[in-house]
Amino acid sequence: MNKNFLNLKDSYLFSTIAKKVNEFQKNNPNIKIIRLGIGDVTLPLTKEVITSLQNAVTEMGEVDTFKGYGPEQGYEFLRIAIKNYYKEKNVTLQTDEIFISDGAKSDLGNILDIFSSECISLIPNPVYPAYLDANIMAGRRVNFLNGNESNKFLPMPEDGNGGDLIYLCSPNNPTGATYTREQLKVWVDYANKNGAIILFDSAYECFVRDENLPTSIFEIEGSKTCAIEFCSFSKTAGFTGVRCGYTVVPHNLVQEGTQLNKLWLRRQTTKFNGVPYIIQKGAAAIFTPQGKKEVEENIKYYLENAKIIRNTFKELGFWFVGGDNSPYIWIKCPDNMDSWSFFDKMLTEANIVGTPGAGFGTGGEGYFRISAFGARENVIEAMDRIKKIYQ
Ligand code: MLT
């Protein structure tokens, strides 16, 4: 067996939470639990996406339009749609720099395949737990970057605490904090100077409303020689259960004379047979004019939820970050409570599920994440329940 697995926590954060919540519900069958824990979307797929999926299903049933194995890197129609989306951000990509994936999570772990096992990963703390777990499974050496209130949970390079693979997520999961252009430029310069690679998770980019904030690492000058970007349609278009995203590996990303794009292509053609045609057709519908409009409505809905949550905690005088350009609000637990005690209090007294900050790393101890992906009436009810306890 791979003994590295023994260094992992017994179960993945969201599985642990689900188990606790299910047990509470079993013992209290009449209680209405409001789930604002895992960042899972609640609005259904949009009309344009559904029509496209249905048409693709029909195509698969006709001999002339049936598709077998697709290109491992993804169908060109979707890669071109993504390329054009980047053009709107003034980022020029080549179609073969884009790789369609089944979501950001898989590739953020899979990417380790193309890097030397000697590499040190530099991982923020707190952070989306999948980064660290994937590194532990692969037996990688890890250094941590501390996020805290003084850096508003946006850690910057630190002397004497380096790494070869730098994981950055902006807008951030779990804190909802978003790096500015200037901050990302510092990271890009740091990576270029040190021959490091930034693994940039932009899964929440569609929630950025402030036009001064970057939505892609490739908006930053110099990034194409030091960064790989991972994105997903999960939060953008409700694809958490559909599974589709993409990874961008620029041609200019070269290590010791070799293009990493070639290594990634080689890896994908060997270990991946691509995302289903039907799903890619559904994803392409997100980029049509009507698809964009529909998806934007859903994003606005979640951001309005986030505003309701922010306003509640502002009113109650809690310290928090996020929720303005992201669907997560990261609050400081009141009365110096630790994250899991606050989780238990919320579950048992308010019957609300959030995510304990400590589940995202030691740096998250004493904090709590609330997701804005719930149904509006549930968000309002949850905030009323919290106000009843703390007002
Ligand atoms: C979260 O709640 O952190 C996310 O839903 C997890 C994910 O995107 O895999």
Side-chain angles (χ1 to χ4, degrees):
M1 70 175 178
N2 175 353
K3 289 211 170 69
N4 295 321
F5 277 67
L6 303 180
N7 297 324
L8 293 165
K9 292 213 177 86
D10 269 357
S11 83
Y12 188 60
L13 173 63
F14 294 106
S15 318
T16 310
I17 293 172
K19 211 169 135 203
K20 265 181 174 264
V21 174
N22 291 342
E23 210 166 288
F24 179 79
Q25 184 77 86
K26 208 171 114 197
N27 295 333
N28 302 277
N30 298 323
I31 280 178
K32 179 188 167 193
I33 298 176
I34 299 180
R35 292 162 200 262
L36 305 176
I38 190 165
D40 198 1
V41 289
T42 49
L43 292 173
L45 297 175
T46 65
K47 281 204 174 74
E48 187 83 350
V49 168
I50 289 294
T51 305
S52 192
L53 288 168
Q54 285 168 337
N55 290 341
V57 169
T58 305
E59 281 182 64
M60 291 298 267
E62 307 284 340
V63 72
D64 292 340
T65 48
F66 167 75
K67 304 266 185 305
Y69 288 122
E72 296 93 341
Q73 200 174 341
Y75 283 95
E76 206 162 58
F77 62 79
L78 181 54
R79 289 189 287 139
I80 289 173
I82 294 167
K83 184 169 89 170
N84 292 338
Y85 178 60
Y86 272 85
K87 227 183 249 165
E88 291 168 22
K89 306 178 189 221
N90 290 321
V91 173
T92 308
L93 295 179
Q94 306 299 314
T95 315
D96 62 356
E97 292 177 312
I98 301 165
F99 297 76
I100 307 304
S101 69
D102 66 347
K105 185 189 198 179
S106 324
D107 277 5
L108 279 155
N110 294 339
I111 199 76
L112 292 173
D113 276 6
I114 68 167
F115 294 106
S116 155
S117 55
E118 300 302 308
C119 285
I120 297 177
S121 294
L122 190 56
I123 299 187
N125 175 15
V127 81
Y128 175 41
Y131 308 160
L132 180 60
D133 283 3
N135 273 271
I136 293 175
M137 287 174 187
R140 298 272 173 162
R141 283 185 296 161
V142 174
N143 283 341
F144 292 100
L145 276 167
N146 287 325
N148 47 50
E149 275 178 50
S150 57
N151 59 24
K152 296 211 165 75
F153 288 95
L154 292 169
M156 297 302 294
E158 291 164 11
D159 284 342
N161 184 26
D164 306 298
L165 303 173
I166 305 163
Y167 283 82
L168 297 180
C169 176
S170 180
N172 189 265
N173 181 12
T175 67
T178 307
Y179 280 111
T180 62
R181 272 172 220 284
E182 294 69 31
Q183 287 173 316
L184 285 186
K185 178 70 178 141
V186 172
W187 273 116
V188 164
D189 290 346
Y190 171 89
N192 277 323
K193 187 168 156 225
N194 294 288
I197 308 284
I198 296 173
L199 303 176
F200 192 78
D201 181 353
S202 64
Y204 298 90
E205 56 90 28
C206 63
F207 293 92
V208 172
R209 298 290 115 162
D210 180 342
E211 284 176 10
N212 294 317
L213 293 173
T215 58
S216 162
I217 189 76
F218 298 125
E219 289 177 44
I220 311 301
E221 200 195 325
S223 56
K224 285 197 180 158
T225 52
C226 69
I228 296 176
E229 182 154 293
F230 303 83
C231 199
S232 160
F233 303 125
S234 285
K235 315 297 154 102
T236 311
F239 271 49
T240 50
V242 178
R243 308 308 313 153
C244 196
Y246 57 89
T247 297
V248 180
V249 189
H251 290 144
N252 288 348
L253 192 57
V254 175
Q255 292 262 314
E256 296 165 60
T258 299
Q259 282 189 344
L260 294 187
N261 179 291
K262 289 214 165 76
L263 298 195
W264 183 242
L265 179 63
R266 187 68 182 81
R267 189 266 174 211
Q268 290 298 80
T269 48
T270 304
K271 293 196 179 180
F272 188 54
N273 262 337
V275 173
Y277 171 74
I278 296 167
I279 302 300
Q280 292 192 57
K281 271 295 198 187
I286 299 167
F287 297 101
T288 64
Q290 178 60 19
K292 274 187 190 160
K293 234 166 73 190
E294 292 174 356
V295 158
E296 179 59 21
E297 283 308 306
N298 290 2
I299 294 164
K300 278 194 188 139
Y301 177 93
Y302 294 131
L303 281 170
E304 184 59 29
N305 284 349
K307 195 166 148 195
I308 293 168
I309 299 169
R310 279 172 65 85
N311 287 344
T312 302
F313 288 106
K314 205 184 273 171
E315 205 181 309
L316 296 175
F318 282 47
W319 185 95
F320 67 88
V321 68
D324 40 2
N325 294 287
S326 97
Y328 296 128
I329 296 91
W330 181 250
I331 64 164
K332 186 174 185 154
C333 302
D335 311 322
N336 288 323
M337 282 178 95
D338 66 74
S339 305
W340 280 105
S341 303
F342 189 65
F343 171 87
D344 287 336
K345 185 176 170 76
M346 284 294 101
L347 180 61
T348 55
E349 291 180 26
N351 309 134
I352 293 168
V353 183
T355 312
F360 298 102
T362 52
E365 182 55 279
Y367 296 85
F368 191 72
R369 192 192 76 175
I370 301 190
S371 150
F373 285 116
R376 175 69 44 78
E377 62 275 19
N378 286 342
V379 169
I380 292 172
E381 191 180 333
M383 294 305 109
D384 285 345
R385 291 184 192 175
I386 292 176
K387 277 187 202 161
K388 275 201 188 108
I389 297 179
Y390 286 104
Q391 225 159 22

